[in-house]
Amino acid sequence: DNRFVIQYQPLLDLQNRGSETYEIVLKVSNEQGDLIGGKELHDAAEAAGVCEELDQWILDRAIEILKQRRETGRRTMIFVHQSSHSALNPDLPSWLAGRLRANQIVGTGLVVDFRLPDLSHNLKIAQRNIAGLREMDVEVSLSRFPEKEAAFKVLYYLQAQYINIAPRLLKADRETISSVIDQAHQSNARVIVSNVDDPRSIDLHWSSGADYLQGNFIQRPLENMDYDFSQVVI
């Protein structure tokens, strides 16, 4: 019934001040008018068997937004999360290539986010999908990324451009933080620290080496793209 609401949460680029980067946050209005998102929305989509349809819908919206931003002279980067169904769908690259051609977009600024645990079920398909996305200048982020050595072997194999650390690593010790950042950068991946909802929730060591910070402390998701990326937060 067209009750979807798209919100945008900025990612603060700590290395390149002023660059515009947002994550699309999808929510839906229930009968009471409350906005439902995150795991609750995912579980509902899973139960209804429409996860992949929802994935395509939100990718289409992201492409439209990027095209609009380009037409107004804005160079914006948008992160879009995809479910496990799309992550391991071998038809994803060809479908997305068709949508980009239809909108006449190249060098998109689109970053597709997959949960690392989802990809681990079939790394060969994941690798082919990511290689296909890279060919059309679509980048990939791996979220829920742990500090484990096996995760970095997967990162090296998949050649993703970003990792989004597992939430529990916000409180990691400095040696672990330095190791995660160094290994990611050695694999040419940039490090995103999300879920920063309180300045006390993050070791400042992250902000000295990570590439992006995201969370309600920076700004909560809103229905506009008016964040001032030139301001210094940390």
Side-chain angles (χ1 to χ4, degrees):
D1 297 328
N2 198 28
R3 291 183 181 175
F4 288 119
V5 173
I6 292 179
Q7 297 182 333
Y8 309 91
Q9 186 168 42
L11 283 78
L12 186 67
D13 189 335
L14 298 174
Q15 311 304 324
N16 300 292
R17 294 288 183 186
S19 62
E20 291 189 356
T21 307
Y22 291 93
E23 179 185 0
I24 280 185
V25 179
L26 183 64
K27 295 185 178 179
V28 66
S29 176
N30 65 12
E31 295 289 347
Q32 291 73 41
D34 300 317
L35 291 180
I36 307 302
K39 186 177 186 302
E40 193 172 355
L41 176 57
H42 175 269
D43 290 348
E46 191 77 60
V50 296
C51 280
E52 202 159 350
E53 186 178 351
L54 199 59
D55 286 343
Q56 292 182 352
W57 187 89
I58 195 63
L59 277 174
D60 262 333
R61 300 293 84 72
I63 291 169
E64 289 174 7
I65 293 161
L66 285 169
K67 185 175 183 180
Q68 291 168 5
R69 303 291 278 187
R70 288 281 178 90
E71 289 171 349
T72 59
R74 309 294 287 266
R75 301 291 292 186
T76 305
M77 190 160 65
I78 292 182
F79 281 69
V80 184
H81 179 70
Q82 295 283 278
S83 73
S84 59
H85 300 274
S86 295
L88 298 179
N89 178 1
D91 295 328
L92 174 64
S94 60
W95 176 85
L96 187 53
R99 301 307 302 147
L100 293 172
R101 278 196 302 271
N103 285 275
Q104 299 180 317
I105 289 185
V106 293
T108 63
L110 183 64
V111 184
V112 180
D113 176 72
F114 301 119
R115 291 176 73 255
L116 183 61
D118 292 340
L119 299 183
S120 64
H121 297 298
N122 193 323
L123 288 175
K124 287 188 177 180
I125 290 179
Q127 195 275 338
R128 285 197 296 269
N129 279 354
I130 290 174
L133 295 175
R134 188 183 302 114
E135 287 177 5
M136 61 186 91
D137 292 329
V138 175
E139 296 182 308
V140 169
S141 172
L142 304 180
S143 55
R144 300 279 170 168
F145 199 93
E147 78 281 15
K148 299 182 179 355
E149 194 63 38
F152 286 99
K153 289 181 180 178
V154 171
L155 172 63
Y156 183 79
Y157 175 69
L158 297 179
Q159 295 293 293
Q161 291 93 344
Y162 302 87
I163 66 168
N164 194 327
I165 66 159
R168 61 182 174 77
L169 290 180
L170 283 176
K171 295 290 191 178
D173 60 74
R174 295 197 166 201
E175 183 178 349
T176 300
I177 293 171
S178 293
S179 176
V180 169
I181 292 171
D182 290 345
Q183 290 187 76
H185 287 167
Q186 286 167 17
S187 295
N188 296 314
R190 304 185 76 186
V191 178
I192 302 166
V193 180
S194 56
N195 300 292
V196 183
D197 296 332
D198 184 304
R200 294 167 296 182
S201 71
I202 178 172
D203 188 315
L204 287 179
H205 200 56
W206 277 119
S207 65
S208 67
D211 299 286
Y212 292 90
L213 294 183
Q214 178 188 15
N216 291 344
F217 172 56
I218 311 297
Q219 181 177 282
R220 63 186 178 85
L222 297 174
E223 291 178 43
N224 62 64
M225 303 175 79
D226 297 335
Y227 184 75
D228 180 5
F229 285 94
S230 65
Q231 66 176 308
V232 177
V233 177
I234 292 183

